[in-house]
Amino acid sequence: MQTATSGRISTPDIAGQITHAMRLMGVAQLPRNYELYYEAYLGSNPQLSKDLAALGSRATQEELDAIGARYFSHVHHPNGIERAHSTLATKLADLVSLLKEEQSALESYNKVLDEAYVNITSKSAASADILRHAICLLSEATVDTMNQGKERVQTVVQKSFEMEVIRQELDEYKRIANTDSLTRLANRRAFDENLAAVYNNEHLRTFTGLLVADIDHFKKVNDSFGHPVGDKILATVGNVIRANLRRDAFVARTGGEEFAVILGDSSQEECLQAADRIRMVLAGTPFKNSRTGVNYGPITLSVGVCMATAAEDPVDLYNKADIALYAAKNAGRNRTMLFEEGMRKDSSRNWLIYRR
């Protein structure tokens, strides 16, 4: 198991650390820049980290965008989210202006009604001409207001449709930004958010388990067959994990050859059964090149399990599940281990939740 994919830092305030580092380097606090430094901080893409380091402490936005386009071509649209936000803001401003016009029209119509009422009720307004004039005034004002109202309703409907399209676009940006491009599972960023949410709800905390899985001897697979084969194996492993869990289970690739599963509404026994089911199915899955006949397998997983009730917070929960994973590796691999307090004594690893 690569330490870069399962290493950690000692504080949960990752966002603060990254933002502070970007500020020191004079990097603009843009979402696309934060994405770059977040991935580099995780260490899941060593080459990305090297390329950012090569820029020095005063990288230009053009240089950062070039790196973003190189490594996140599927999601890194310079100014994409900013452009969508700007468009949405413009549409909202137009809608507000439209509503103000509607308010102004209603106020004008109200004045006409007041004048007509005064004319009709005035003692000096008994003549038929004055009454006819008041009724004519009311009729014209009513027709004008109704016509303007219809136009504004149509415009509001159109603006609402346009804003819905933009909202869907922003949702898609978020979905892509939270998706691992290789396995199509959730990525580390989405995993961190969902793990933190477990401790925001007492019910979730009481009935949630965390599974942390790591492909055994994956470095040997990459060294023997190359990274393209390794990427195909990662994608297949991700599919096997996803296919053998309930639909509502949250599955993520958290870095390198490491995966994580958040199982809600589950007992400890159910979490252990889910972990063993994934392991056994994967161990029986053929990994063979149909054209050349080369066998890449067997591919197996080691899994660490910890229940949310056994940890104080998301950081502690991940640490303990990772400790159990390390124990499974030490015990011979291709097995599931439930976290126990005594495991800490047997571990010589540095249990930091992220590592550079």
Side-chain angles (χ1 to χ4, degrees), residues 52-73:
L52 279 178
L55 295 180
S57 60
R58 294 295 169 182
T60 66
Q61 190 59 54
E62 289 75 13
E63 292 172 329
L64 293 171
D65 285 341
I67 291 179
R70 190 182 315 147
Y71 290 97
F72 304 112
S73 59

Side-chain angles (χ1 to χ4, degrees), residues 198-219:
V198 170
Y199 286 83
N200 293 332
N201 184 298
E202 191 58 35
H203 176 80
L204 287 178
R205 180 175 181 177
T206 304
F207 299 102
T208 295
L210 174 64
L211 285 58
V212 178
D214 190 272
I215 302 176
D216 297 323
H217 302 298
F218 187 70
K219 185 177 185 301

Side-chain angles (χ1 to χ4, degrees), residues 121-134:
T121 58
S122 173
K123 292 181 179 180
S124 61
S127 71
D129 288 340
I130 294 179
L131 188 58
R132 191 183 304 111
H133 175 72

Side-chain angles (χ1 to χ4, degrees), residues 125-299:
S127 71
D129 288 340
I130 294 179
L131 188 58
R132 191 183 304 111
H133 175 72
I135 293 174
C136 182
L137 191 64
L138 281 175
S139 178
E140 292 177 356
T142 300
V143 171
D144 289 344
T145 301
M146 288 178 63
N147 288 337
Q148 291 174 8
K150 288 179 182 178
E151 293 178 0
R152 291 193 178 92
V153 167
Q154 292 175 352
T155 304
V156 168
V157 170
Q158 179 61 29
K159 296 293 182 184
S160 297
F161 174 77
E162 293 172 354
M163 286 191 290
E164 176 61 20
V165 171
I166 296 170
R167 185 194 65 78
Q168 292 176 357
E169 181 182 351
L170 288 172
D171 287 345
E172 180 64 10
Y173 276 129
K174 182 178 180 181
R175 185 193 67 79
I176 294 175
N178 285 335
T179 301
D180 175 61
S181 60
L182 179 62
T183 63
R184 311 312 301 167
L185 299 175
N187 60 17
R188 183 59 188 251
R189 180 184 296 104
F191 169 74
D192 289 343
E193 292 176 356
N194 279 265
L195 192 64
V198 170
Y199 286 83
N200 293 332
N201 184 298
E202 191 58 35
H203 176 80
L204 287 178
R205 180 175 181 177
T206 304
F207 299 102
T208 295
L210 174 64
L211 285 58
V212 178
D214 190 272
I215 302 176
D216 297 323
H217 302 298
F218 187 70
K219 185 177 185 301
K220 184 183 298 183
V221 172
N222 273 336
D223 291 345
S224 300
F225 304 110
H227 288 279
V229 170
D231 287 348
K232 291 181 179 179
I233 289 175
L234 284 170
T236 301
V237 171
N239 289 335
V240 169
I241 294 175
R242 176 69 275 175
N244 286 277
L245 292 169
R246 300 193 317 255
R247 180 181 290 273
D248 62 345
F250 180 85
V251 186
R253 179 188 175 204
T254 51
E257 68 270 25
E258 187 177 279
F259 298 82
V261 177
I262 301 175
L263 276 181
D265 290 323
S266 300
S267 65
Q268 177 177 294
E269 185 61 29
E270 288 172 328
C271 289
L272 292 171
Q273 289 174 354
D276 284 335
R277 180 169 61 252
I278 292 169
R279 281 196 312 101
M280 289 186 288
V281 172
L282 184 64
T285 299
F287 287 85
K288 189 175 182 179
N289 188 312
S290 58
R291 183 173 58 83
T292 64
V294 175
N295 191 350
Y296 306 127
I299 301 297

